[in-house]
């Protein structure tokens, strides 16, 4: 089944389908000019045009990428060209002038109930706002030239064979982006898995993999690297969730991607809670950051919290602690004993 046209798309989907196939045929003919070539049907994908190609009886997988952007972005008419890093993609999606409008209509073709769609859109908006504020803490070094964009969507399973279908080259500061994408996408596979016991095994495997990676680091680096991986993980999760929710009707989704749309409220709720924890539930800045002037922020209230607890320890019969909740508000719990 090819792409079909939708009244909500900025680019005609059938035109994109025909043009993608024409480019693939030309590339194959240049590579094998004297061979018999048969193009198979389109494979489900929201990122690139993927199909099977038979060359003289040998089955191959062809992938055509438009400007390095997802098919959803092309069809929706959102096509700025930028770097492919997790942070770069996230900023491109959620830090533009049209972001508010796109988030308001997020999931309009998903067939989710309207109240659920609106709830998901608000959760994504809130989480994206928090994550954008944390993006500045992610390393921007470009130490390593990496071949390929390593994530499950770029591994095509054909019987017993694995085909890596993303030959792109990108810069990286270290292994954190790959770890974040692989662990995050694996958890999404677990969320949508029809067998709950298999889903639990996937999550346990992710936790064990992450624990092994952190255990190999110097102790003083573990907290910072875990925080960076979590921010990248959440950014990537929000990006793929929004891509699947933005898919116009007629664009083929894989069973996993369709399952992700159906469980969008669960995933969006997780990202919302996790991003809140990363900013100390303040929605403002990193815990321990100095210089924030917003009342009740974790960064500015941390000193008074420590002071209150120290005073409480000196006054044994009476204790008082301040625990920040949302930015601008805090709660005080106290207990008093008799002398």
């Amino acid at each position: 089944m090819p792409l079909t046209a939708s009244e909500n798309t900025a680019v005609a989907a059938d035109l994109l389908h025909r043009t993608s196939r024409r480019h693939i045929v030309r590339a194959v003919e240049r590579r094998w000019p004297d061979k018999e070539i048969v193009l198979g049907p389109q494979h489900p994908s929201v990122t690139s045009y993927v199909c099977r190609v038979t060359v003289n009886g040998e089955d191959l997988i062809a992938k055509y990428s438009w400007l390095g952007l997802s098919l959803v972005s092309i069809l929706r008419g959102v096509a700025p060209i930028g770097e492919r890093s997790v942070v770069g993609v996230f900023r491109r999606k959620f830090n533009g002038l049209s972001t508010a409008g796109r988030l308001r209509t997020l999931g309009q073709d998903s067939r989710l109930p309207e109240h659920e769609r609106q709830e998901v859109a608000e959760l994504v908006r809130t989480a994206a706002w928090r994550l954008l504020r944390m993006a500045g803490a992610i390393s921007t070094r470009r130490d390593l030239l990496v071949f390929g964009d390593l994530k499950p969507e770029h591994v095509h399973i054909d019987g017993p064979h694995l085909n890596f279908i993303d030959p792109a080259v990108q810069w990286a500061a270290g292994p954190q982006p790959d770890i974040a994408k692989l662990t995050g996408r694996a958890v999404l596979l677990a969320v949508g898995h029809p067998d709950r016991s298999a889903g639990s095994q996937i999550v346990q495997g992710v936790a064990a993999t992450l624990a092994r990676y952190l255990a190999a680091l110097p102790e003083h680096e573990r907290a910072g690297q875990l925080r960076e991986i979590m921010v990248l993980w959440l950014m990537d999760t929000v990006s793929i969730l929004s891509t699947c929710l933005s898919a116009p009707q007629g664009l083929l989704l894989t069973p996993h991607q369709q399952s992700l749309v159906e469980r969008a409220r669960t995933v969006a709720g997780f990202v919302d809670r996790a991003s809140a924890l990363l900013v100390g539930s303040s929605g403002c800045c990193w815990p321990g950051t100095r210089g924030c002037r917003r009342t009740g922020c974790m960064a500015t209230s941390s000193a008074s919290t420590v002071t209150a607890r120290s005073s409480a320890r000196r006054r044994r019969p009476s204790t008082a602690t301040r625990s920040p909740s949302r930015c601008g508000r805090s709660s005080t719990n106290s207990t008093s004993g008799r002398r």
Side-chain angles (χ1 to χ4, degrees):
M1 175 183 174
L3 291 167
T4 56
S6 169
E7 62 181 6
N8 295 319
T9 58
V11 176
D14 56 346
L15 175 62
L16 185 66
H17 172 74
R18 293 195 307 270
T19 307
S20 299
R21 293 177 74 84
R22 187 163 59 246
H23 281 291
I24 290 173
V25 168
R26 287 176 181 173
V28 175
E29 287 177 342
R30 285 196 299 269
R31 178 67 178 82
W32 295 284
D34 301 321
K35 303 294 179 77
E36 181 184 359
I37 299 168
V38 178
L39 219 60
Q42 177 194 359
H43 287 211
S45 175
V46 295
T47 55
S48 302
Y49 192 94
V50 180
C51 67
R52 185 186 301 276
V53 180
T54 303
V55 181
N56 267 21
E58 181 182 359
D59 285 336
L60 304 172
I61 301 298
K63 172 186 174 182
Y64 190 80
S65 176
W66 288 90
L67 305 174
L69 297 167
S70 69
L71 292 179
V72 171
S73 297
I74 298 293
L75 290 170
R76 292 295 188 194
V78 184
I81 304 174
E83 60 175 308
R84 299 178 48 158
S85 68
V86 174
V87 177
V89 170
F90 189 82
R91 281 179 168 152
R92 189 170 69 223
K93 281 175 173 284
F94 299 104
N95 202 28
L97 296 175
S98 61
T99 299
R102 284 191 290 108
L103 286 177
R104 279 196 298 270
T105 60
L106 185 67
Q108 63 183 2
D109 288 334
S110 65
R111 299 181 181 176
L112 290 174
E114 180 58 18
H115 72 279
E116 185 174 333
R117 185 198 70 78
Q118 291 183 8
E119 180 183 355
V120 168
E122 178 60 21
L123 289 170
V124 169
R125 185 196 67 79
T126 304
W129 179 81
R130 293 193 190 107
L131 292 169
L132 280 171
R133 297 180 71 88
M134 291 187 279
I138 303 298
S139 174
T140 57
R141 300 193 326 271
R142 292 171 164 244
D143 299 340
L144 303 173
L145 187 61
V146 181
F147 179 81
D149 186 4
L150 190 58
K151 53 191 176 187
E153 286 76 11
H154 291 163
V155 180
H156 187 275
I157 301 176
D158 187 16
H161 304 292
L162 296 180
N163 300 284
F164 293 91
I165 59 174
D166 192 277
V169 173
Q170 60 178 327
W171 289 95
Q176 296 91 331
D178 275 350
I179 293 171
K181 283 186 287 188
L182 283 173
T183 53
R185 301 294 175 103
V187 169
L188 291 181
L189 288 173
V191 169
H193 204 288
D195 185 342
R196 295 191 65 179
S197 62
S200 297
Q201 288 180 343
I202 293 173
V203 172
Q204 291 169 8
V206 167
T209 299
L210 194 55
R212 282 196 301 270
Y213 170 74
L214 294 172
L217 297 174
E219 188 172 355
H220 68 278
E221 294 182 9
R222 292 174 188 170
Q225 288 227 21
L226 177 59
R227 185 165 54 209
E228 182 167 332
I229 289 171
M230 285 303 301
V231 173
L232 291 168
W233 176 341
L234 296 177
M235 285 181 170
D236 185 62
T237 299
V238 173
S239 291
I240 189 61
L241 176 62
S242 67
T243 295
C244 292
L245 286 172
S246 300
Q249 292 184 21
L251 178 61
L252 295 176
L253 299 178
T254 65
H256 162 62
Q257 290 165 346
Q258 185 57 50
S259 176
L260 182 58
V261 170
E262 294 167 359
R263 293 168 173 79
R265 183 162 55 181
T266 298
V267 176
F270 161 74
V271 172
D272 176 61
R273 292 190 295 273
S275 63
L277 288 172
L278 281 173
V279 293
S281 299
S282 67
C284 187
C285 54
W286 290 97
T289 302
R290 296 183 180 276
C292 179
R293 298 184 178 182
R294 293 184 65 177
T295 305
C297 173
M298 280 288 290
T300 53
S301 61
S302 58
S304 60
T305 302
V306 172
T307 301
R309 288 177 176 171
S310 300
S311 300
R313 283 194 293 269
R314 287 195 299 270
R315 301 191 312 269
R316 282 303 218 184
S318 177
T319 62
T321 60
R322 289 179 60 82
S323 55
S325 52
R326 294 194 177 274
C327 196
R329 292 178 293 175
S330 61
S331 58
T332 302
N333 302 318
S334 63
T335 59
S336 300
R338 295 182 178 178
R339 294 186 180 276

